[in-house]
Amino acid sequence: MSNALHLHYEVSGEDFTRAGEASGSVKKRLKSLGYDSDAIRRVAIAMYEAEINMVIHADGGYCDVDIYPDRVEVLLADSGPGIEDVDKAMQEGFSTAPDNVRNLGFGAGMGLPNIKKYTDDMKIETTLGVGTKLYLTVVVKKE
């Protein structure tokens, strides 16, 4: 990891106004470092979706980002309830979000499917009652 730029963010729980701060910061950093716009967009979308999930389901958590010359690796971790059925959660439209969250326009069941769509690699480690870790990799190139 010696050639990586490491960034750390706390994700506040139950605060939709702050959701996206980490992804926005990483987006700006990648732009300033000269990474290509497609990779920046994919990282930002995947991180934002994960941040929203952490706010909805897990009372927040943290996000560690390692920026390499050829890829961005992201770890998002929470100590929420865990994901009961990962296969179901990966299905577009499946959601366990409560009605008050849906009324705000979130919780449509597209979070994990979008994260998978916009990353080159995605791994989920989840334990019921303990929390979830999401490992994301997006391959990048400089413009």
Side-chain angles (χ1 to χ4, degrees), residues 14 95 106 112 143:
E14 296 185 25
S95 178
F106 299 102
L112 289 175
E143 290 193 316

Side-chain angles (χ1 to χ4, degrees), residues 83-91 112 124 126:
I83 302 170
E84 193 169 319
D85 187 334
V86 173
D87 290 336
K88 255 190 184 173
M90 290 300 299
Q91 294 175 13
L112 289 175
I124 299 173
T126 189

Side-chain angles (χ1 to χ4, degrees), residues 60-113:
Y62 70 89
C63 176
D64 284 328
V65 180
D66 291 305
I67 302 172
Y68 295 89
D70 62 339
R71 69 192 183 283
V72 177
E73 294 180 355
V74 183
L75 164 63
L76 298 115
D78 65 60
S79 54
I83 302 170
E84 193 169 319
D85 187 334
V86 173
D87 290 336
K88 255 190 184 173
M90 290 300 299
Q91 294 175 13
E92 290 185 9
F94 177 81
S95 178
T96 58
D99 287 340
N100 65 316
V101 170
R102 291 175 193 241
N103 290 338
L104 293 172
F106 299 102
M110 293 303 294
L112 289 175

